[in-house]
Amino acid sequence: MAQSVVEVMEDAKGMAQENLLANGVDLTSFVTHFEWDMAKYPAKQPLVSVVDTVAKQLAQIETDLKSRMASYNTLKTNLENLERKSMGNLFTRTLSDIVSKEDFVLDSEYLITLLVIVPKQSYTQWQKTYESLSDMVVPRSTKLIAEDNEGGLFTVTLFRKVIDDFKTKAKENKFTVREYYYDEKEIKREREEMSRLLSDKKQQYQTSCVALKKGSSTFRDHKVKVTPLGSPDRPAAGQSDRERESEGEGEGPLLRWLKVNFSEAFIAWIHIKALRVFVESVLRYGLPVNFQAVLLQPKKSSTKRLREVLNSVFRHLDQVAAASILDVGTRSRNSRVSTVRSASLPRRDCPGTVLGRLL
């Protein structure tokens, strides 16, 4: 969902991180001040029911995400295709934004105006020869109306009965007749389609330039801290999803939906992590429940040292597992693999490693 936010914000993707909030606060603040949401996930329910509730919620979000992003990507692709048509060379690009009604002889029973692409080095040759390439070419009827790096687009008027002969002679002289017939209705339709796609795309995302919504809570203290889960000192929650959605009126509906449901998905994800800590702690220490789960937020440079200290402090709880972890760390001190391996151990790991996996 975060990647989808980046895609939708496009040129303003630098603001994406500021728009990825959980319950109205930045992600670090939400995690370090986590408190179980009793309203969404009643603690009295069996764990399997809680997990099932989360799974159904996320499955619905994922289904909606695929549908909405598919529609957005289709719109984006159609717009890019139209834009690509207007940026090619004279042989392939659309001519609706180049030609005008005055360039053509219209509604004539006998005469027709053709468009011919002439290489730049052949401009002089074209001017000297176009009237004699076939019979019944109107004298002095050519006009240069557009050019690119390769050549120019000229008009020429002639009688309809000699079109085929003129095309053949033009090809022999390396002049290319571009198959195009002026149709005001088609040009209008193409322009309206471009305008509609641009408008639809803009409506999906409009830059609000608001990093954090008014009234949301932020916590800027990123020092090492130990915060018990469910701490009574946890600051008041941020805005509700309904409040955040109503305040995002300057944004397109897709971006608003992504922000609201990113928050929902992230909150559900952290609840699953909290569930894992609870389950693994019960399996380790048994019943009745008698343990305190905490969240540690070390500086990146202190992570390895923290693991070593935790493994040392709690080694008496499972000396075999602790010795194994310390032994692996000693033999592979300079290898990141040892850190990943110790953080991935199942039930044999010590509490410090369980917390490391949560982080």
Side-chain angles (χ1 to χ4, degrees):
M1 296 203 61
Q3 181 60 38
S4 297
V5 170
V6 173
E7 290 178 13
V8 173
M9 295 187 73
E10 293 186 343
D11 294 339
K13 63 179 61 176
M15 294 174 57
Q17 188 64 41
E18 300 170 351
N19 284 274
L20 297 178
L21 308 178
N23 204 26
V25 301
D26 64 88
L27 306 186
T28 299
S29 300
F30 178 83
V31 174
T32 54
H33 295 80
F34 174 77
E35 182 177 319
W36 190 268
D37 190 334
M38 294 293 184
K40 284 186 178 179
Y41 314 111
K44 292 184 179 180
Q45 288 187 357
L47 291 184
V48 65
S49 298
V50 175
V51 173
D52 186 54
T53 298
V54 174
K56 289 180 179 178
Q57 175 191 7
L58 294 182
Q60 185 60 52
I61 289 177
E62 183 177 23
T63 299
D64 291 346
L65 174 65
K66 289 179 179 179
S67 174
R68 290 171 183 265
M69 288 307 297
S71 298
Y72 177 77
N73 288 329
T74 298
L75 169 65
K76 187 176 177 181
T77 299
N78 291 339
L79 182 58
E80 288 175 349
N81 289 338
L82 280 178
E83 290 174 340
R84 193 177 297 115
K85 287 182 179 180
S86 65
M87 293 187 296
N89 58 34
L90 291 173
F91 291 92
T92 58
R93 64 164 295 166
T94 181
L95 300 179
S96 60
D97 58 338
I98 293 177
V99 299
S100 63
K101 184 176 182 180
E102 291 70 27
D103 297 324
F104 297 85
V105 173
L106 301 174
D107 303 322
S108 172
E109 182 179 352
Y110 301 104
L111 296 175
I112 187 173
T113 299
L114 300 181
L115 298 177
V116 182
I117 301 172
V118 180
K120 279 194 172 183
Q121 65 272 18
S122 303
Y123 281 8
T124 302
Q125 180 187 354
W126 166 258
Q127 294 287 355
K128 290 181 178 180
T129 63
Y130 80 91
E131 294 179 2
S132 59
L133 290 177
S134 176
D135 295 333
M136 301 184 177
V137 175
V138 177
R140 296 184 296 279
S141 64
T142 192
K143 180 176 66 173
L144 176 65
I145 58 175
E147 61 181 346
D148 57 17
N149 294 332
E150 300 174 10
L153 186 68
F154 288 81
T155 60
V156 60
T157 302
L158 59 152
F159 279 75
R160 294 178 179 272
K161 59 191 299 184
V162 297
I163 289 179
D164 292 337
D165 181 54
F166 182 87
K167 288 181 178 179
T168 301
K169 296 293 179 58
K171 186 176 181 179
E172 292 174 356
N173 286 270
K174 298 183 179 180
F175 305 141
T176 304
V177 176
R178 172 79 188 265
E179 296 291 344
Y180 181 87
Y181 298 97
Y182 187 85
D183 186 336
E184 274 191 305
K185 291 183 178 179
E186 179 63 21
I187 291 175
K188 182 179 179 181
R189 187 201 64 77
E190 191 172 314
R191 289 174 178 170
E192 288 177 348
E193 177 70 5
M194 174 71 83
S195 298
R196 183 186 67 79
L197 290 174
L198 283 170
S199 176
D200 289 349
K201 186 180 178 186
K202 183 178 179 181
Q203 287 175 8
Q204 293 298 316
Y205 167 65
Q206 295 175 359
T207 307
S208 64
C209 297
V210 177
L212 297 174
K213 296 296 184 184
K214 180 180 179 182
S216 65
S217 302
T218 58
F219 311 94
R220 302 188 180 279
D221 180 12
H222 288 181
K223 297 178 181 178
V224 176
K225 58 173 72 70
V226 180
T227 305
L229 297 181
S231 167
D233 296 328
R234 180 182 183 272
Q239 297 163 291
S240 68
D241 292 335
R242 185 181 299 275
E243 290 171 335
R244 292 198 303 277
E245 190 166 358
S246 65
E247 279 203 4
E249 293 178 355
E251 302 161 351
L254 177 57
L255 181 60
R256 286 202 303 272
W257 184 91
L258 286 170
K259 289 171 62 176
V260 169
N261 286 276
F262 171 86
S263 173
E264 291 294 313
F266 187 85
I267 292 171
W269 183 35
I270 300 305
H271 276 76
I272 288 293
K273 286 186 174 291
L275 270 180
R276 289 180 59 185
V277 171
F278 175 80
V279 170
E280 293 187 24
S281 299
V282 170
L283 292 175
R284 177 173 300 283
Y285 305 121
L287 295 172
V289 174
N290 184 23
F291 62 86
Q292 175 65 62
V294 298
L295 188 69
L296 305 182
Q297 185 191 3
K299 295 180 180 178
K300 288 185 178 180
S301 59
S302 304
T303 301
K304 184 176 179 181
R305 175 60 180 160
L306 174 62
R307 291 186 184 280
E308 293 175 351
V309 171
L310 290 173
N311 289 335
S312 176
V313 170
F314 296 107
R315 66 183 303 175
H316 64 282
L317 297 175
D318 191 342
Q319 294 186 9
V320 176
S324 174
I325 293 171
L326 291 175
D327 182 54
V328 170
T330 302
R331 286 187 284 107
S332 308
R333 186 171 298 277
N334 296 325
S335 172
R336 287 190 176 185
V337 176
S338 65
T339 304
V340 175
R341 188 175 299 148
S342 65
S344 302
L345 288 174
R347 288 176 52 194
R348 294 179 55 228
D349 54 359
C350 71
T353 307
V354 174
L355 289 171
R357 189 184 314 147
L358 174 63
L359 288 171

